[in-house]
C-alpha cells in the first residue's frame, strides 16, 4: 500500500492481531453454522461517506470471517423507513409530531428509494466479496410476528429497563401512528401515549393525533397496527428477537458514534434478564469526523450550521456525486477496507473527512473478479 497510514496504539488494538479477533469469543462460544452481520441506516436521503464506509466494512469483515473461520457469512441491511419525513409543532399544545418516510412515501416509494440509493452499492460489494445480502425495512420487521411477540413479552419488565432506554424521563417512546386513512402522524416524544392491557398476546396503545384527536391501536402478534419504537427501544427489541437463534450468530455493526448508546442498550438487555455473556456481538466501525472532532453531519452542513471541513469534497455528503463510475467507487471502498482491516490500530479509531478523502483517492484500486 502507498497510503502511508499511521495510527496510534490503543489498549484494544494492542490486544488483537486483527480487527476481526474482537468477534472470536462470540464465535467460539456460539460455534455457529452461519453468521449474519446486521447493519442498518435511516432511509432519509442519499448516503454520505460514513454510511458507505460502514456498509463496505460490513461486507469486508463478513468475507474475512468466512475465510478465516470457515463459517458461512451474510449481510442483512436494515432500511429504517420509520425515520422522520416531516416534523411539526402543534401551536395549541406545543407537542411535536412526526410523519415517517414510509407513511409519507408508501411501501412502493420506500422500495424505490432503497433500489435507487442503496441496492447498487450492496449488489456490487456482494459480487466483489462473494457475500450474500438481504434487505429488510423496519416496516417489515415490526410487522413480523416474532418481533411483536418479543415486544409484548418484554413489556412486563419495562419497569427495570425504562431508565436505560430513556434516562431523562424514564418513559421509553412508543409511537403508534394515527391509523386514519392518509394520516400516519404520531406524537414524536409520546408524552400522551399510554400502553395498557399489557400481556403476552395483546396491548392497547392510546395516543393523540395532530388532526384526528384521541385514538387507540391494538398491538397483537399478527395484526396490522404500526409499532414505531424510539431508537434505543427498537434496538432492545430487535436484539432480543435474535437471541437464541439456533445455529446463527448475529453481529451488530454500527458506526463508532453508536458506542455510548449501546452502553444503555446493554444495560436494558441485562435489566430484562440477559447475562453479560448473552449480550450480542457488536462491531463499531471507524467514525468520520470534522476538524473539530464532531461527527461529519450532512444535515448540519446543509442547514448552514456547520461548514464543509477542510479537505472534504461534496461527494462525501452525497456519494452519488463521486467523480467516477460506481465500479470505481466500489474499487476504492474495497481498497480502503483492506487498509483499515490490515491492522487493528487502523480500524479502531476515527478519521477526519480530509484524511478519508485522501485515502479514497490515493489507495490503489482493487478489483476482484465476480464469482
Amino acid at each position: 500500500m502507498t497510503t502511508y497510514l499511521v495510527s496510534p496504539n490503543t489498549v484494544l488494538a494492542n490486544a488483537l492481531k486483527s480487527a476481526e479477533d474482537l468477534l472470536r469469543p462470540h464465535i467460539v462460544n456460539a460455534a455457529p453454522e452461519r453468521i449474519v452481520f446486521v447493519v442498518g441506516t435511516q432511509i432519509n436521503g442519499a448516503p454520505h461517506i460514513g454510511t458507505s464506509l460502514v456498509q463496505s466494512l460490513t461486507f469486508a469483515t463478513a468475507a474475512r470471517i468466512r475465510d478465516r473461520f470457515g463459517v458461512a457469512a451474510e449481510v442483512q441491511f436494515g432500511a429504517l423507513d420509520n425515520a422522520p419525513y416531516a416534523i411539526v409543532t402543534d401551536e395549541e399544545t406545543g407537542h411535536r409530531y412526526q410523519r415517517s418516510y414510509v407513511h409519507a412515501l408508501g411501501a412502493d416509494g420506500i422500495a424505490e428509494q432503497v433500489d435507487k440509493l442503496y441496492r447498487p452499492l450492496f449488489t456490487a460489494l456482494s459480487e466483489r466479496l462473494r457475500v450474500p445480502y438481504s434487505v429488510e425495512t423496519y416496516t417489515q420487521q415490526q410487522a413480523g410476528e416474532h418481533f411483536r411477540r418479543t415486544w409484548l413479552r418484554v413489556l412486563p419488565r419495562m419497569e427495570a429497563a425504562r431508565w436505560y432506554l430513556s434516562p431523562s424521563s424514564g418513559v421509553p417512546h412508543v409511537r403508534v401512528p394515527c391509523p386514519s386513512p392518509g394520516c400516519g402522524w404520531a406524537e414524536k416524544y409520546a408524552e400522551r401515549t399510554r400502553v395498557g392491557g399489557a400481556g403476552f398476546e395483546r396491548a392497547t396503545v392510546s395516543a393523540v393525533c395532530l388532526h384526528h384527536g384521541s385514538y387507540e391501536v391494538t398491538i397483537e402478534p399478527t395484526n396490522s397496527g404500526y409499532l414505531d419504537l424510539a431508537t434505543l427501544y427498537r434496538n432492545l427489541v430487535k436484539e432480543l428477537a435474535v437471541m437464541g437463534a439456533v445455529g446463527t450468530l448475529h453481529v451488530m455493526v454500527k458506526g463508532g458514534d453508536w458506542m455510548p448508546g449501546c452502553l444503555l442498550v446493554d444495560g436494558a438487555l441485562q435489566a430484562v434478564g440477559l447475562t453479560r455473556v448473552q449480550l450480542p456481538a457488536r462491531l463499531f466501525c471507524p467514525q468520520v469526523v470534522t476538524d473539530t472532532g464532531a461527527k461529519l453531519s450532512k444535515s448540519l452542513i446543509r442547514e448552514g450550521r456547520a461548514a464543509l471541513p477542510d479537505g472534504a469534497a461534496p461527494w462525501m455528503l452525497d456519494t452519488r456525486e463521486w467523480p467516477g463510475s460506481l465500479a470505481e467507487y466500489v474499487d476504492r471502498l474495497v481498497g480502503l477496507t483492506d487498509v483499515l482491516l490490515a491492522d487493528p490500530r487502523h480500524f479502531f479509531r476515527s478519521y477526519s473527512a480530509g484524511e478519508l478523502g485522501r485515502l479514497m483517492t490515493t489507495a490503489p484500486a482493487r478489483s476482484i473478479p465476480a464469482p
Side-chain angles (χ1 to χ4, degrees), residues 275-326:
T275 64
R276 179 69 187 175
V277 74
Q278 291 175 306
L279 295 179
R282 302 189 193 280
L283 186 66
F284 297 101
C285 296
Q287 186 176 351
V288 184
V289 300
T290 68
D291 50 0
T292 69
K295 183 179 78 168
L296 180 68
S297 170
K298 63 179 180 182
S299 59
L300 289 181
I301 294 173
R302 289 172 180 171
E303 292 168 5
R305 298 164 61 190
L308 187 68
D310 290 342
W315 67 264
M316 302 183 80
L317 301 182
D318 184 342
T319 57
R320 294 174 299 178
E321 297 185 18
W322 168 262
S325 66
L326 173 64

Side-chain angles (χ1 to χ4, degrees), residues 31-53:
E33 298 174 3
R34 68 172 188 145
I35 301 177
V36 178
F37 288 79
V38 182
V39 61
T41 192
Q42 290 188 337
I43 306 300
N44 59 355
H48 60 79
I49 183 59
T51 301
S52 290
L53 178 64

Side-chain angles (χ1 to χ4, degrees), residues 81-298:
D81 56 353
N82 62 327
Y85 180 85
I87 300 175
V88 299
T89 301
D90 182 359
E91 295 182 359
E92 293 185 5
T93 66
H95 291 285
R96 302 272 280 172
Y97 285 85
Q98 71 177 48
R99 195 167 188 237
S100 70
Y101 267 77
V102 68
H103 289 96
L105 304 182
D108 291 341
I110 293 299
E112 181 180 352
Q113 189 101 324
V114 171
D115 290 344
K116 179 181 179 180
L117 299 178
Y118 295 92
R119 198 178 290 275
L121 176 61
F122 272 61
T123 299
L125 289 169
S126 176
E127 292 175 350
R128 297 288 180 91
L129 298 172
R130 297 179 294 110
V131 175
Y133 79 96
S134 62
V135 176
E136 181 183 54
T137 65
Y138 176 76
T139 296
Q140 294 169 328
Q141 184 182 62
Q142 65 82 33
E145 181 178 352
H146 183 55
F147 184 92
R148 288 169 172 256
R149 286 192 183 279
T150 301
W151 178 71
L152 288 167
R153 288 172 180 171
V154 82
L155 281 178
R157 302 182 184 180
M158 284 308 297
E159 181 62 29
R162 65 191 183 98
W163 289 107
Y164 290 101
L165 300 179
S166 185
S168 297
S169 68
V171 182
H173 299 160
V174 178
R175 290 182 287 261
V176 285
C178 178
S180 298
C183 188
W185 287 94
E187 206 171 38
K188 182 172 178 58
Y189 300 114
E191 296 100 331
R192 295 174 293 179
T193 300
R194 300 290 182 269
V195 180
F200 290 149
E201 294 297 328
R202 179 183 295 106
T204 300
V205 184
S206 60
V208 181
C209 176
L210 174 65
H211 301 294
H212 301 99
S214 300
Y215 63 94
E216 285 190 350
V217 173
T218 299
I219 302 295
E220 296 176 326
T222 58
N223 78 355
S224 58
Y226 198 98
L227 180 64
D228 185 6
L229 304 176
T231 304
L232 298 180
Y233 201 171
R234 178 183 71 241
N235 276 263
L236 169 73
V237 176
K238 177 184 73 174
E239 293 175 1
L240 283 172
V242 301
M243 292 293 101
V246 178
T248 301
L249 172 66
H250 289 83
V251 177
M252 306 300 166
V253 185
K254 299 179 181 294
D257 57 309
W258 250 99
M259 190 175 296
C262 283
L263 295 175
L264 291 171
V265 176
D266 287 347
L269 288 168
Q270 291 175 292
V272 300
L274 266 62
T275 64
R276 179 69 187 175
V277 74
Q278 291 175 306
L279 295 179
R282 302 189 193 280
L283 186 66
F284 297 101
C285 296
Q287 186 176 351
V288 184
V289 300
T290 68
D291 50 0
T292 69
K295 183 179 78 168
L296 180 68
S297 170
K298 63 179 180 182

Side-chain angles (χ1 to χ4, degrees), residues 1-16:
M1 288 294 178
T2 60
T3 54
Y4 304 109
L5 180 60
V6 178
S7 300
N9 199 8
T10 64
V11 173
L12 177 58
N14 198 45
L16 306 173

